[in-house]
Amino acid sequence: MRKSIPFVLVAALLHACHDHPHPDQGEHGHDHAAGADHHVELEPLAYTLYSDSIELFVEFKPLVVGQESRFAAHFTHLRSVHVPLTQGSASVAMKGIGAPQVITADAPSSPGIFRMAVTPAQEGSCSLTFIVNVGNLHDTLTIGGLRVYSNEHEAQHAEQPEDPPGDITYLKEQAWKIPFALARVDKSPFAMAVRVGAEVEPAIAGEEVITARSAGVVHLFGDAPLEGMAVTKGRTLFTLSSQGVIGGSGTAMQQARNEFERAKADLERTEALYKDKLVTQEEVLRVRNVYANAEVMLQQSGSAQNVSAGINGYVRSLHVKEGQFVQPGDVLARIATNERLSIHADVPLRSFADLGSVEDARIRLPNGEVRTLEELNGRVQSVGRAADGLYVPVRLEVNGVPGLLPGAMVDVWLLSPKKVDALTIPLSALLEQEGRNYCYVQSAGETMDKRMLTLGGNDGLLAEVRSGLRPGERVVSIGALDVKLATASGAMPAHGHEH
């Protein structure tokens, strides 16, 4: 049979246990009132500092006289994609009270993390300066206005900085494992832009149209030219045969021979007259030129005429087949270099009226990458001064790059000369939720704040932000989707912070 303990007995036993001295309290000789703060863990201080090339995130317990304060300083190299420092040395120098202390870690304990510690000798105000040396990179970041407390009780009751906004934790160890970068939010000149579709064409000077100089039957020469085939200047692509063509080789050759003989006779007569100073030197040069042309026509009037490429490039289009008859002036092929390309855009009249003109452009390549006109060594080639129907033609000229081929359609953003000072962020920082745009702001080294935004226009690379951000804040410009996914999963890896 199960027995129950009377309530009074239970209460008595609990009272006896409460009066018994606790091993971590009574034996240290502190009463409840005096020792209440002794076992409360000090909340760590967290600081995030930036230079042009380094981000430092460090957490440490408030500085207390005679107690060692340990640091796990997280150093990130602010390249186009942020990476942890994996080599070099880092130091921390405590200055302002007593003799300066300088502690150096000769190498990171793990990628990006340098472990150091200081022990303050007296209370007062001080600063901590972190120095990093990696190859040619030398940087210094300082935390000023720190307080060294006389004891933990004083540190626990001291006023500390407010926590940064944001409730999303995203560790440096997470950011270092993916392509990740931040962009600083600043005001800068921002141009109005219009996005339109455009067609890629060969530049005028980058294409050769090969035509027939005489009537004849086409024969493909050697390795038959194919569309897309690379060709070199001077390579024979076709032969034109007038053999068997009515009015072909026989007639053409006889006419050429007659012209040649007449030019030869004129040259001999003119040179004789020139010796007697009866004609001018200019007349002699003119007759010699006629003779040279007649000689070329005679050579080309034979039964077969070679047709060669005049530039280095590739066969853009082939207009004839083996055995096809052509007339003088018929197009045989087009050779393009793709070294320079023309991009033709038609801008709606209403949009062009807002632009006023076109000063610059952004071009989205077929692989999705958006490049500036400067990056493609390009220029605004022409802006129409008259409307073609409901559109104004605009032409850009750029260097050829892989994937940008004549005939392809691309998106371009045409930028107006008119600019305004505006807050901007990279388009890559933007995410969408239920039709609204937002981004992630790194409010502290490992704290993210989700911000809903009101946007203006964009130029293909940057978006104007009308509300939701302040100058000086840093947004996740590469890796925003990974932050979103990590937030949704709630998974956080182990890390090496000192708490």
Side-chain angles (χ1 to χ4, degrees):
M1 181 176 177
R2 187 173 182 182
K3 296 182 180 180
S4 60
I5 302 175
F7 174 78
V8 176
L9 179 58
V10 172
L13 289 172
L14 289 174
H15 180 73
C17 290
H18 180 73
D19 288 341
H20 191 276
H22 192 280
D24 293 332
Q25 295 177 356
E27 293 179 1
H28 285 82
H30 297 293
D31 60 24
H32 244 339
D37 293 335
H38 182 72
H39 299 289
V40 176
E41 188 75 16
L42 292 176
E43 287 294 323
L45 304 174
Y47 291 88
T48 307
L49 295 90
Y50 301 90
S51 69
D52 291 339
S53 54
I54 292 293
E55 176 198 271
L56 166 64
F57 171 67
V58 61
E59 281 185 330
F60 54 93
K61 294 178 183 178
L63 302 173
V64 177
V65 173
Q67 293 189 16
E68 183 183 65
S69 290
R70 294 176 295 168
F71 306 89
H74 295 59
F75 288 98
T76 302
H77 196 176
L78 302 181
R79 297 176 178 172
S80 56
V81 173
H82 299 356
V83 295
L85 294 184
T86 57
Q87 55 185 351
S89 64
S91 303
V92 59
M94 186 173 70
K95 302 176 182 179
I97 50 173
Q101 293 186 46
V102 180
I103 307 299
T104 299
D106 294 326
S109 59
S110 58
I113 301 176
F114 292 78
R115 298 185 182 279
M116 297 161 284
V118 297
T119 303
Q122 63 187 74
E123 65 177 304
S125 296
C126 71
S127 65
L128 290 175
T129 298
F130 292 84
I131 305 125
V132 61
N133 293 284
V134 182
N136 295 325
L137 176 61
H138 308 283
D139 223 329
T140 300
L141 303 104
T142 299
I143 305 172
L146 291 172
R147 174 77 180 168
V148 177
Y149 302 99
S150 59
N151 54 59
E152 285 193 0
H153 181 270
E154 182 184 4
Q156 287 166 359
H157 291 84
E159 184 177 354
Q160 301 297 349
E162 293 184 2
D163 291 335
D167 56 1
I168 300 170
T169 299
Y170 194 71
L171 305 182
K172 289 301 171 191
E173 288 85 344
Q174 287 176 284
W176 290 338
K177 290 179 180 179
I178 63 167
F180 182 88
L182 301 172
R184 181 184 167 94
V185 180
D186 284 309
K187 277 196 171 184
S188 60
F190 184 74
M192 177 184 176
V194 171
R195 177 181 174 181
V196 294
E199 183 177 3
V200 182
E201 302 172 350
I204 294 175
E207 184 179 46
E208 180 192 28
V209 179
I210 299 177
T211 58
R213 295 187 178 181
S214 62
V217 176
V218 175
H219 297 291
L220 304 181
F221 186 85
D223 291 335
L226 301 172
E227 291 186 354
M229 177 184 288
V231 295
T232 56
K233 182 178 180 179
R235 173 180 170 176
T236 300
L237 303 176
F238 315 98
T239 59
L240 292 181
S241 172
S242 55
Q243 193 73 27
V245 177
I246 296 176
S249 64
T251 303
M253 191 169 187
Q254 186 60 47
Q255 290 176 346
R257 184 175 297 280
N258 291 341
E259 290 294 331
F260 174 74
E261 293 296 338
R262 182 167 57 188
K264 181 179 179 182
D266 285 346
L267 179 60
E268 290 173 350
R269 180 176 59 82
T270 303
E271 287 181 339
L273 292 173
Y274 180 70
K275 289 180 181 179
D276 294 333
K277 298 183 180 180
L278 296 176
V279 295
T280 63
Q281 184 179 15
E282 182 178 353
E283 177 65 13
V284 174
L285 294 176
R286 185 189 68 80
V287 174
R288 284 178 179 172
N289 187 55
V290 172
Y291 171 79
N293 289 338
E295 186 177 28
V296 170
M297 292 302 295
L298 177 61
Q299 292 173 353
Q300 293 181 350
S301 65
S303 59
Q305 179 187 149
N306 291 335
V307 181
S308 303
I311 59 174
N312 295 322
Y314 74 97
V315 180
R316 184 190 170 204
S317 59
L318 197 61
H319 297 265
V320 292
K321 299 178 180 179
E322 174 70 28
Q324 182 175 333
F325 176 75
V326 294
Q327 296 282 6
D330 285 352
V331 176
L332 306 180
R334 295 177 186 269
I335 308 297
T337 65
N338 277 11
E339 292 179 2
R340 297 287 288 175
L341 297 170
S342 179
I343 298 178
H344 176 204
D346 288 321
V347 185
L349 272 173
R350 180 179 298 179
S351 299
F352 188 81
D354 294 333
L355 284 176
S357 185
V358 177
E359 183 179 69
D360 201 356
R362 310 277 187 262
I363 299 150
R364 175 177 285 158
L365 303 180
N367 64 2
E369 182 183 0
V370 177
R371 303 283 290 275
T372 66
L373 206 55
E374 182 180 4
E375 289 172 339
L376 295 174
N377 192 27
R379 64 188 179 98
V380 178
Q381 193 173 24
S382 66
V383 178
R385 294 293 181 263
D388 180 10
L390 298 176
Y391 300 91
V392 176
V394 175
R395 285 189 176 273
L396 313 172
E397 188 179 67
V398 299
N399 278 352
V401 295
L404 194 61
L405 301 174
M409 298 299 296
V410 295
D411 286 333
V412 299
W413 286 261
L414 302 174
L415 276 58
S416 168
K418 296 178 285 188
K419 295 181 174 65
V420 295
D421 281 338
L423 284 181
T424 59
I425 62 173
L427 285 177
S428 58
L430 296 176
L431 296 171
E432 189 173 321
Q433 177 181 312
E434 298 178 352
R436 294 192 62 190
N437 293 110
Y438 69 94
C439 70
Y440 288 108
V441 176
Q442 181 175 284
S443 54
E446 294 186 335
T447 303
M448 297 290 177
D449 188 22
K450 181 179 177 180
R451 297 283 183 84
M452 305 307 294
L453 305 174
T454 302
L455 302 178
N458 77 81
D459 65 3
L461 290 174
L462 301 174
E464 178 188 5
V465 179
R466 294 182 176 171
S467 68
L469 292 174
R470 296 185 298 274
E473 293 185 310
R474 295 175 188 261
V475 300
V476 180
S477 58
I478 300 176
L481 184 58
D482 291 279
V483 175
K484 176 182 178 180
L485 295 175
T487 303
S489 70
M492 296 294 167
H495 57 90
H497 298 192
E498 298 292 342
H499 292 298

